[in-house]
Amino acid sequence: MRWPFYHTTKTLVIKALLFVLTGTAYTARAQAPSATSALVQQAQQAAIQTYHAAINDQSQLYNGSEYFNYTRFYQLVEGNQFHPGAAAQPGTLTYWGHRYAGIPLLYDIHLDQVVVRQPNSLFDVALLSTEVSAFTIGNRSFVRLAGPVADQGAGPGFYEVMLAGADLRLLAKRYKDMLDQPAQNMTRVVFSSADRYFLQLGDDQLLKIKGKQSVLAAFPRHRKLLLRHIRDKRLFTDQQAREADIVQLVLYRTSLPDRP
């Protein structure tokens, strides 16, 4: 797979250079010879400055340390440390205030670390987490909460945006436990998911969501309607569907009018 971003910056700069020089040459036909030379030099200088600015902007992607896959220490690995998968996927990224598109990304949820996969390189780059404000991988969106967000098991880090309404966001803190389990004289490690869910009401209030009771407690004015929806849709009858049921119930809440 070719990653389009790594060709985009250079292509745009070349097109801009050709456009500027073509336009300058056309304008210069009506100018005196001395003015023509000055205009061409100005256009070339502007294009060069634009090119260097674009290269410097792209270089921010490599402002991090080498990412080392620590599972290499083990002879047997069950699962992996990544979400949503161990293969890099094209995504978008806001890093050091700059937005990039078409970046091959991995997200190590054991370390809460965003990783850039470099084409034609043996090394991956672990980005500075404090400078990543948001990113997407495939159709999944993540934001970074940087300040003190709650005392209910949440903390600074990346959260997947499961649902965004006018007055709330449903967030998932993705995490995988890493457990050493030696077996038959082999080094063995097992990864298991331990996701947590939160409702963000406003900028600061973050409520931990464990199931239907947590959602009902967050919206006491809509309790009766939410209970009816749970019964009608037979939600929270299967533990394996807990995440989907939480999303469906909160989505239904966003469709209800506010009550006094």
Side-chain angles (χ1 to χ4, degrees):
M1 178 182 293
R2 296 180 62 186
W3 304 102
F5 168 78
Y6 294 93
H7 308 282
T8 301
T9 300
K10 185 175 180 181
T11 301
L12 290 177
V13 171
I14 291 174
K15 288 182 178 179
L17 175 60
L18 291 174
F19 176 81
V20 170
L21 294 179
T22 302
T24 302
Y26 176 80
T27 303
R29 292 176 184 175
Q31 306 293 327
S34 60
T36 300
S37 177
L39 285 172
V40 171
Q41 289 179 358
Q42 291 175 5
Q44 290 175 337
Q45 186 62 32
I48 291 172
Q49 291 176 352
T50 301
Y51 176 77
H52 284 304
I55 294 301
N56 289 335
D57 179 66
Q58 181 175 336
S59 68
Q60 292 287 356
L61 280 175
Y62 308 105
N63 191 353
S65 59
E66 178 187 348
Y67 175 78
F68 178 75
N69 189 347
Y70 44 90
T71 61
R72 295 176 184 174
F73 289 122
Y74 298 90
Q75 295 169 291
L76 181 61
V77 179
E78 293 188 14
N80 61 73
Q81 67 271 40
F82 299 106
H83 176 78
Q89 297 184 45
T92 62
L93 177 70
T94 302
Y95 190 49
W96 289 93
H98 300 285
R99 187 178 185 277
Y100 304 90
I103 308 299
L105 295 177
L106 290 162
Y107 177 29
D108 182 333
I109 61 175
H110 179 71
L111 298 180
D112 203 27
Q113 178 74 67
V114 182
V115 179
V116 172
R117 171 65 49 83
Q118 298 189 70
N120 304 319
S121 174
L122 298 176
F123 305 103
D124 296 332
V125 176
L127 300 180
L128 299 174
S129 295
T130 55
E131 302 304 329
V132 178
S133 57
F135 65 96
T136 66
I137 296 182
N139 61 353
R140 298 174 181 267
S141 298
F142 301 82
V143 295
R144 178 172 175 80
L145 301 184
V149 288
D151 59 355
Q152 299 192 46
F158 298 113
Y159 291 76
E160 183 173 353
V161 181
M162 307 294 292
L163 177 66
D167 57 348
L168 61 83
R169 287 196 300 187
L170 178 62
L171 307 175
K173 181 59 180 172
R174 303 299 186 184
Y175 181 72
K176 287 185 180 179
D177 286 321
M178 179 177 173
L179 182 62
D180 289 354
Q181 292 184 345
Q184 297 180 350
N185 298 322
M186 297 181 65
T187 55
R188 176 172 176 257
V189 65
V190 177
F191 288 95
S192 59
S193 297
D195 298 333
R196 293 169 291 162
Y197 307 97
F198 299 89
L199 265 177
Q200 186 178 30
L201 306 175
D203 294 332
D204 300 322
Q205 187 179 10
L206 208 64
L207 305 176
K208 189 172 184 178
I209 300 298
K210 294 183 178 180
K212 66 178 180 181
Q213 294 302 330
S214 302
V215 179
L216 294 173
F219 306 110
R221 297 176 180 178
H222 300 84
R223 182 180 179 86
K224 290 184 179 179
L225 291 175
L226 294 175
L227 281 171
R228 181 184 304 168
H229 186 73
I230 291 172
R231 289 193 299 268
D232 292 345
K233 300 298 182 180
R234 297 183 58 81
L235 303 181
F236 302 101
T237 58
D238 182 359
Q239 182 65 21
Q240 299 299 319
R242 182 173 68 111
E243 179 175 306
D245 290 346
I246 290 174
V247 172
Q248 185 176 155
L249 187 58
V250 175
L251 179 62
Y252 174 68
R253 158 59 185 88
T254 63
S255 71
L256 299 176
D258 291 332
R259 292 189 165 193

